């Protein structure tokens, strides 16, 4: 079984050292809620509160963008992605774009014992 890709939002991976930087990696998806979902969501705006149809759409889109970013990073030869971030925007009146991006790197387990940081 292949080792899972390490994904972090920090510019480093605790306990690992970066031995090679592959470059920028991303996953992108553009999604639209169907006509029925848009109609139900528009009815919910009358009463206020969370619009579950759109929350679900964005959660699914975020996961798909992340999965695509992982595939791209693996194809580059990476075993980790650092500084991962998400961005989203609307296209037209019914489409949402979600982007997952980061830096694809190759990391190795740190063998040196941890040393304290000294501020002098």
């Amino acid at each position: 079984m292949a080792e899972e890709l390490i994904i972090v939002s920090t510019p480093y991976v605790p306990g690992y050292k970066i031995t090679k930087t592959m470059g920028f990696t991303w996953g992108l998806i553009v999604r639209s809620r169907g006509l029925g979902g848009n109609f139900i969501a528009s009815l919910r705006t009358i009463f206020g509160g969370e619009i579950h149809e759109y929350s679900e759409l964005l959660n699914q889109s975020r996961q798909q963008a992340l999965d695509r970013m992982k595939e791209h990073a693996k194809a580059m030869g990476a075993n980790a992605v650092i500084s991962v971030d998400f961005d989203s925007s609307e296209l037209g009146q019914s489409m949402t774009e979600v982007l997952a991006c980061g830096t694809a790197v190759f990391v190795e387990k740190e063998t040196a014992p941890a040393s304290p940081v000294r501020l002098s």
Side-chain angles (χ1 to χ4, degrees):
M1 184 169 151
E3 194 174 308
E4 185 65 26
L5 201 68
I6 299 170
I7 305 292
V8 294
S9 60
T10 56
Y12 59 90
V13 181
Y16 292 81
K17 63 181 176 179
I18 297 172
T19 60
K20 186 174 182 186
T21 300
M22 276 60 168
F24 188 68
T25 184
W26 66 90
L28 176 68
I29 186 161
V30 177
R31 299 262 319 251
S32 176
R33 167 79 37 207
L35 183 58
N38 283 335
F39 179 73
I40 292 169
S42 65
L43 289 177
R44 288 192 197 274
T45 62
I46 296 170
F47 303 106
E50 180 180 5
I51 302 174
H52 298 283
E53 292 79 13
Y54 288 130
S55 294
E56 182 181 329
L57 173 70
L58 287 174
N59 268 330
Q60 290 172 354
S61 298
R62 182 176 183 252
Q63 186 60 54
Q64 288 174 321
L66 189 62
D67 290 344
R68 289 179 181 184
M69 182 196 71
K70 288 178 179 181
E71 289 174 22
H72 186 235
K74 286 179 183 179
M76 296 170 75
N79 66 353
V81 181
I82 60 171
S83 301
V84 172
D85 198 8
F86 289 93
D87 189 27
S88 66
S89 62
E90 291 184 31
L91 300 172
Q93 293 181 349
S94 62
M95 294 177 285
T96 301
E97 169 207 30
V98 177
L99 170 71
C101 58
T103 302
V105 297
F106 192 85
V107 296
E108 295 177 0
K109 199 81 156 139
E110 187 66 64
T111 56
S115 59
V117 175
R118 292 199 173 99
L119 303 174
S120 336

